[in-house]
């Protein structure tokens, strides 16, 4: 497993809403070696403040050496990232962590909510590429309002994978939660549900999977200092009573490995 | 010191002696910030390091604190990892083989909550191949004294030092806590008790509050402050301690660059450790080695040892 | 506390009591960072302040240290102003008239190198119109004890407090030094000796080195570290002290915004002081008053007093 | 004396050499009230690092509400300022300090070296404007090499004031020091010499003035935290054995008020 610290040039910046942005970075080493579900640590700003890198899922990679991240302004680091302009350089470190495990022979059901949509494009692409045909797979994407979902749909549609959309306020797709849609679907008993999104959403997705007895992989977050196993800061309680480290043992886990407060 | 000048002439002489422990250059990785070194093998040339100091090891495995364990602060971070580690036995059986093969000095950072525990860990580390030294973390709470940290009381600091020295078969470096009224007093007590060297500083005790939840950010409420924010305090303490002890002093605290490292050496440090900086830039320690080398060359110094303690101070 | 609810309903109730000293809001300016207030009169509305604390005053004028006196550090700064001030007599004759007319509480920060000096300054301040309180800076070296700071020893801290209390005709706030092993111990000693309130923290002792000149940056070698870098240490100490004393605690250290101020109040501070932030933004203190007001309104709090010490802490 | 904290939009950036830059800022309150020799404190960067503002002389003001600063990259703050782009905002605080005292009826001789040229444009403009005719005044500008002097000369020439130029390496104007030129000039016994530049240069200028018995005003530097008299950090020994504060009592002083190490 190789990791790289790259000085990545910003190729393109896209603003989807007041707070949601997408950056395209020239980062050939990371693009070449990344797997869906992995993440990168990015340094925001020039000075010593903010000090630590910030973790972001790899949104997608391209064969010409580019990666994308899709993010939301929630604090100082992301605020600085949103000010970045095409042509600027960013220090990017990755790919980090364990990605999603893809099962070639059984259907995949992807459930992404809010910023949890970020890693799902890379996952959908990987699944379709691996399987050749993703006619049995499905994607459910949701968000609070239209701007959190609609701008991303186009890229997902490229693979002909079946999409189901929802917004909390009904401004786009189904009026309600992604978990409403999930509950309403028939699930192949050997399918895998992949999910990323707010904690309560993932907890609920896992609950549904448990009841239906299907596999569930979750991509979780944690505060991180190093992103690579050196600080032990990113601990998360496991169902065995120990701690897992999100950057090293995750960010993708089998849902049953973790403790869920619901 | 005896340094035979066997080096190639175009390479800077970066060797320093931490007492009887001879290292190729003054750059070490600070405990708890470099895992067990293996984590960095793809990211840098580990062989360039003066020494590796591994995550603090206790007698028995410790699970550590519940999350959140870290939070960023202005130019720094707080951690309350809670000394999570695999325990000395698994450390020896699972981690040391790799470390020993690196062929760089490995210094094992140890911690305990009683003198007996410090002694027992030390005993178990005796004769383990690859262990070049022990760094004693005395910032841990002394359970017998109601949880007061060993390192905040000169006599307890002395007692730990003595206990470890009694058993150790390698040089002993004692790592001081900065959360004290008089660091020179603790340093002298530790020196008098036989420490081979002194490293400082460990983290300052701090806290962060989340206004939205009205709770402390860290599950453990308080944590240790590290990073550039603490560098001025660290430099001051290194300067103070180096002025009063005659054993080597190892400087720690907010060091990110070769310039930072050289400032600590001017203030009296024989060597330095890179901590939090490795999180931001995994190659930080190697870059500091390179930078110190470039400085020695550009300043035409016979060796890096020629700047140790060379700060000119004239108090008016 | 007795707060008659005479305020207009659209204005947030920001009043707090520092013992018998009643102030309109919990925001004060920290000593040494706000001159004698007049410097700021064109830049902000001084009347919005809860209180002004002026630059530390000694018995006789002090010239202060030679330059350089300040140096920036990561998210902070070191200062070694050397307590330059005009002395208590000229302070009273030249500075107090303006301050008294401001009609906001003026707290005079005092310093000395002996108990007698502290007492004499206090005596001269008795009856001076406009003086609402005295803040005792105990981070100064005690000349009789070989220069050890009064504030690093609980018994010396207690002695200064007693000495000042004996003479003072206004409430006495004692300002603690953070450079101690056990801040709670000092706080309790100060409370037991009659302090009406406790403010903390003063600066951490630090140092900066200039690699090019191989000299300390500050002419005085060491200086006091302030600014955002020290906020985690300050928050921790305020929390610790507020847990063990029953007199009001005033939080200081790296406060730049209303959020910072509210974090200190959650941790137990009844009021706060703005220091270094005023250098970066001369309107910082006024903006913090505004921000706290907005918070009280948006959180629908009956008064700002309802958040003091409201941090939920459940240690697992 | 009024001071303002303005959010100033950057109107123009000019790069004169690898390290020397000039910024034009829209800062109407400061432009309106500034006097030659005064300075502004500018916040570089977004985060808390660098923390403190940086002092810069006002290079010139314009009647349409703009001010200029002329600076050199010497550290992190100036490095960040050099990355500023037109359209960005900067927090500017000023005008601060005491400016030059201009004597209407006697000749002025301006001596600027290196970055010390910065305040001299404003001074020259002010003198010419006040006197109407500056035929008896002179300016000596010097620097290490051509790029430190030549790009600035055009703006000075606008007033028809007599200019004498020097560079250490002879790449532009006289080959040598500004003080060589100064020594070679005849000075009106009631003229005032105004100087700003490296300390040794100013010390030498003052020495010459002392010998010739003419008035000398110097603009000096100091590290500063607040720029407005609140921190007492910017002390400088005076010939009376006390300390003056550069931000409040200066940055312009009568040379004889200060201690000079030469
Ligand atoms: C493996 C991983 C992948 C991620 N992928 C993405 C992504 O693709 N897109 C995206 O927008 N965000 C992603 N995040 C979250 C992202 O890292 C945080 O939003 C970012 O670090 C916030 O930085 P800031 O400086 O803006 O906020 P800060 O000022 O540091 O904090 C603002 C708020 O964000 C919270 N926060 C801070 N750090 C994290 C963190 N690491 N995780 C969760 N919350 C945090 C804080 O608690 C606080 O409430 C991911 C996090 C992880 C761990
Ligand atoms: C009244 C006044 C007017 C000034 N006018 C100008 C001007 O018009 N153009 C210009 O280029 N510079 C000017 N300076 C100097 C300018 O303020 C410094 O170059 C700047 O603060 C350096 O910031 P930095 O972060 O880049 O450097 P830092 O990283 O802070 O320091 C780098 C180096 O610069 C030195 N330095 C830092 N601050 C100062 C300071 N205040 N004065 C002198 N040296 C300093 C440091 O000692 C260090 O050697 C002026 C200074 C003062 C006091
Ligand atoms: C996440 C983390 C874990 C740490 N764990 C230990 C430890 O186990 N033992 C120890 O002695 N010091 C430990 N430290 C302290 C560091 O070794 C070092 O003394 C401190 O971080 C100051 O250096 P820095 O500012 O370069 O990080 C830890 C620090 C951090 C940030
Ligand atoms: C330049 C400067 C001068 C100071 N002078 C005094 C003083 O005279 N008396 C005192 O008690 N504290 C003094 N202090 C300490 C401050 O009042 C305050 O306790 C400290 O700076 C921490 O707060 P801050 O981080 O908000 O600046 C001074 C601080 C600075 C930066
Ligand atoms: S973030 Fe450091 S170990 Fe996971
Ligand atoms: S810079 Fe603060 S008093 Fe001059």
């Amino acid at each position: 497993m190789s990791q790289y610290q790259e000085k990545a040039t910003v190729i393109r910046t896209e603003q989807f809403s007041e707070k949601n942005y997408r950056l395209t970075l020239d980062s050939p080493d990371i693009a070449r070696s990344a797997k869906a579900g992995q993440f990168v640590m990015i340094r925001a700003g020039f000075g010593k403040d903010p000090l630590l890198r910030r973790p972001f899922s790899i949104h997608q990679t391209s064969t010409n050496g580019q990666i994308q991240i899709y993010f939301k302004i929630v604090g100082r680091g992301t605020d600085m990232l949103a000010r970045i302009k095409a042509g600027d350089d960013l220090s990017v470190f990755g790919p980090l962590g364990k990605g999603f495990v893809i099962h070639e022979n059984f259907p995949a059901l992807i459930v992404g909510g809010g910023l949890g949509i970020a890693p799902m494009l890379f996952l959908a692409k990987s699944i379709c590429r691996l399987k050749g045909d993703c006619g049995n797979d499905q994607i459910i994407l949701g968000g609070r309002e239209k701007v959190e979902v609609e701008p991303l749909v186009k890229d997902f549609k490229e693979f002909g994978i079946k999409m189901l959309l929802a917004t909390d306020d009904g401004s786009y797709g189904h009026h309600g939660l992604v978990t409403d849609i999930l509950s309403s679907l028939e699930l192949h008993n050997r399918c895998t549900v992949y999910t990323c999104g707010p904690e309560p959403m993932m907890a609920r997705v896992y609950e549904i999977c448990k009841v239906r007895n299907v596999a569930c992989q979750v991509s979780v977050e944690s505060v991180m200092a190093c992103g690579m196993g050196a600080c032990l800061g990113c601990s998360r309680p496991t169902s065995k009573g120990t701690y897992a480290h999100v950057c090293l043992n995750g960010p993708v886990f089998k849902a049953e490995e973790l403790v869920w407060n619901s | 010191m005896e340094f035979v000048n066997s080096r190639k002439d175009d390479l800077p002489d970066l060797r320093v002696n931490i007492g009887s422990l001879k290292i190729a250059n003054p750059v070490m990785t600070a405990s708890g910030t470099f895992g067990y070194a293996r984590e960095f093998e793809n990211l840098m040339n580990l062989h360039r390091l003066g020494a590796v100091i591994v995550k603090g090891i206790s007698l028995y495995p410790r699970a550590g604190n519940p999350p959140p364990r870290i939070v960023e602060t202005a130019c720094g971070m707080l951690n309350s990892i809670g000394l999570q580690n695999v325990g000395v036995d698994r450390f020896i059986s699972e981690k040391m083989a790799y470390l020993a093969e690196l062929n760089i000095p490995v210094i094992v950072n140890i911690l305990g909550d009683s003198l007996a525990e410090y002694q027992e860990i030390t005993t178990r580390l005796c004769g383990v191949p690859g262990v070049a030294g022990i760094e004693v973390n005395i910032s841990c709470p002394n359970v017998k004294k109601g949880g007061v940290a060993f390192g905040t009381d000169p006599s307890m600091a002395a007692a730990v030092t003595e206990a470890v020295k009694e058993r150790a078969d390698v040089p002993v470096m004692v790592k001081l806590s900065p959360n004290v009224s008089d660091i020179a007093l603790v340093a002298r007590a530790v020196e008098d008790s036989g420490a081979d060297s002194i490293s400082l500083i460990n983290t300052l005790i701090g806290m962060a509050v989340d206004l939205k939840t009205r709770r402390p950010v860290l599950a453990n409420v308080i944590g240790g402050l590290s990073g550039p924010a603490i560098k001025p305090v660290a430099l001051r303490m290194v300067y103070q301690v180096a002025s009063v002890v005659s054993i080597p002093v190892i400087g720690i605290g907010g060091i990110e660059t070769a310039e930072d490292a050289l400032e600590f050496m001017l203030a009296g440090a024989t060597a330095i450790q890179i901590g939090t900086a490795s999180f931001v830039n995994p190659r930080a320690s190697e870059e500091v080695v390179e930078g110190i080398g470039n400085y020695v060359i550009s300043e035409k110094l016979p060796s890096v040892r020629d700047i140790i303690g060379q700060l000119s101070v004239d108090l008016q």
Side-chain angles (χ1 to χ4, degrees), chain A, chain B:
Chain A
M1 195 181 57
S2 274
Q3 289 149 357
Y4 307 91
Q5 237 189 113
E6 290 188 287
K7 198 169 146 182
T9 305
V10 178
I11 301 296
R12 189 154 59 114
T13 68
E14 295 167 273
Q15 182 173 3
F16 292 149
S17 75
E18 194 201 337
K19 302 255 175 186
N20 291 41
Y21 289 79
R22 187 158 72 177
L23 298 181
T24 306
L25 307 169
D26 190 39
S27 192
D29 288 331
I30 296 174
R32 183 171 28 79
S33 50
K35 291 198 184 68
Q38 287 189 303
F39 66 99
V40 290
M41 295 286 284
I42 299 187
R43 186 118 208 234
F46 295 103
K48 291 172 201 276
D49 179 65
L51 183 69
L52 300 172
R53 289 169 183 269
R54 299 292 189 258
F56 296 96
S57 303
I58 300 170
H59 182 52
Q60 65 178 328
T61 63
S62 71
T63 45
N64 64 347
Q66 299 178 353
I67 67 168
Q68 283 188 335
I69 61 162
Y70 167 60
F71 71 97
K72 180 174 185 157
I73 300 180
V74 299
R76 284 175 337 110
T78 44
D79 186 52
M80 286 188 177
L81 268 188
R83 293 165 195 262
I84 284 283
K85 300 191 177 91
D88 289 349
D89 286 332
L90 279 178
S91 171
V92 182
F93 170 38
L96 298 162
K98 294 209 166 64
F100 293 102
V101 178
I102 302 176
H103 299 289
E104 227 171 312
N105 303 315
F106 302 106
L109 178 54
I110 296 174
V111 186
L115 267 295
I117 299 176
M120 294 321 198
L121 181 58
F122 193 3
L123 175 63
K125 258 184 154 174
S126 304
I127 289 174
C128 294
R129 224 180 267 136
L130 193 75
K131 294 189 177 175
D133 164 32
C134 46
N136 289 326
D137 306 315
Q138 294 184 71
I139 303 183
I140 312 174
L141 300 182
R144 253 173 301 183
E145 41 175 349
K146 186 174 175 179
V147 289
E148 286 190 5
V149 183
E150 195 259 358
L152 297 158
V153 167
K154 195 174 135 269
D155 281 17
F156 278 91
K157 286 218 163 129
E158 278 180 25
F159 323 102
I161 196 168
K162 185 174 169 201
M163 296 194 70
L164 301 160
L165 306 168
T167 49
D168 294 3
D169 67 357
S171 54
Y172 189 65
H174 170 76
H175 187 160
L177 306 172
V178 288
T179 47
D180 300 344
I181 302 185
L182 177 64
S183 306
S184 71
L185 295 182
E186 295 231 10
L187 301 181
H188 186 287
N189 69 340
R190 310 235 4 218
C191 87
T192 299
V193 174
Y194 299 92
T195 187
C196 185
E199 283 280 323
M201 180 200 110
M202 292 193 288
R204 180 82 187 99
V205 168
Y206 173 48
E207 235 172 58
I208 297 170
C209 291
K210 220 163 34 178
V211 172
R212 308 278 194 96
N213 203 22
V214 300
C216 179
Q217 291 180 28
V218 291
S219 175
V220 299
E221 292 190 1
S222 157
V223 281
M224 291 187 175
C226 71
M228 41 84 80
C231 74
L232 305 182
C234 60
S235 56
R236 177 156 180 143
T238 68
S239 41
K240 283 185 186 151
T242 60
Y243 290 116
H245 290 290
V246 173
C247 74
L248 215 57
N249 313 117
V252 178
F253 293 89
K254 291 181 184 160
E256 66 269 23
E257 291 173 345
L258 302 177
V259 175
W260 297 96
N261 314 315
S262 45
Chain B
M1 284 202 244
E2 6 73 62
F3 289 94
V4 187
N5 214 329
S6 62
R7 66 188 173 91
K8 281 181 242 134
D9 259 357
D10 50 342
L11 286 181
D13 180 2
L14 300 184
R15 295 167 300 166
V16 295
N17 285 354
I18 315 292
S20 62
L21 177 64
K22 291 162 202 223
I23 59 180
N25 67 64
V27 181
M28 312 178 176
T29 57
S31 177
T33 64
F34 206 68
Y36 300 105
R38 192 169 203 158
E39 292 82 351
F40 288 79
E41 67 181 1
N42 286 318
L43 292 163
M44 61 173 284
N45 183 352
L46 291 170
H47 302 281
R48 295 294 302 273
L49 292 172
V52 163
I53 303 185
V54 293
K55 174 75 193 153
I57 304 291
S58 52
L59 188 53
Y60 304 109
R62 296 201 188 192
N65 286 325
R69 289 180 175 186
I70 47 177
V71 56
E72 194 179 68
T73 64
C75 293
M77 62 177 279
L78 288 167
N79 88 79
S80 63
I81 304 303
L83 303 169
Q84 174 183 351
N85 78 95
V86 296
V88 66
D89 293 337
R90 278 180 56 200
F91 168 72
I92 294 171
S93 62
E94 295 174 14
K95 308 286 181 186
M96 264 315 296
Y98 174 82
L99 287 163
E101 275 188 14
L102 279 181
N103 249 327
I104 46 171
V106 174
I107 297 171
V108 183
N109 181 280
I110 67 168
L111 60 104
D113 47 31
S114 68
L115 294 184
E117 210 173 307
Y118 278 105
Q119 276 204 322
E120 182 56 28
I121 307 170
T122 308
T123 306
R124 298 202 191 174
L125 287 169
C126 283
V128 173
V131 175
I134 286 176
E135 182 182 53
V136 190
N137 177 357
I138 59 171
S139 299
C140 311
N142 182 348
V143 168
K144 281 212 183 119
K145 291 276 165 81
V148 176
F150 286 98
T152 52
D153 181 86
S155 65
M156 292 201 308
V160 181
T161 308
E162 252 168 51
V164 172
K165 271 302 283 183
E166 221 169 70
R167 302 292 178 86
D169 65 351
V170 287
V172 173
M173 179 186 295
V174 178
K175 182 168 179 179
L176 305 189
S177 160
N179 303 290
V180 298
S181 310
D182 189 345
I183 193 82
L185 214 61
V186 186
R188 269 203 231 98
V190 159
E191 177 179 40
D192 290 345
S193 312
D196 299 292
S197 63
I198 286 176
S199 57
L200 76 167
I201 60 174
N202 212 315
T203 53
L204 285 164
I205 306 173
M207 180 172 164
V209 165
D210 186 330
L211 182 60
K212 280 201 203 91
T213 61
R214 298 196 182 174
R215 290 177 173 280
V217 177
L218 298 175
N220 187 52
V221 184
I222 59 170
L225 183 63
S226 64
I230 69 169
K231 187 184 140 196
V233 175
L235 258 177
R236 183 263 298 185
M237 289 190 164
V238 164
Y239 174 69
Q240 283 183 320
V241 168
S243 322
V244 299
V245 301
S246 49
I247 52 177
V249 171
I250 292 92
I252 324 169
I255 301 176
E256 293 187 315
T257 63
E259 286 69 38
D260 295 331
L262 291 161
E263 288 170 21
F264 276 85
M265 295 186 75
L266 282 175
T270 299
I272 57 90
Q273 299 180 15
I274 308 286
T276 302
S278 291
F279 301 157
V280 182
N281 171 12
R283 288 194 73 245
S285 48
E286 189 178 352
E287 288 174 8
V288 171
V289 176
E290 284 164 14
I292 294 178
N294 293 339
Y295 180 83
V296 168
I297 293 171
S298 71
E299 297 287 309
K300 300 193 174 55
L301 296 177
S303 94
V304 73
R305 300 181 296 283
D306 292 289
I307 69 148
I308 297 169
Q310 292 307 305
L311 194 71
S312 307
V313 176
D314 38 23
L315 264 174
Q316 281 126 328

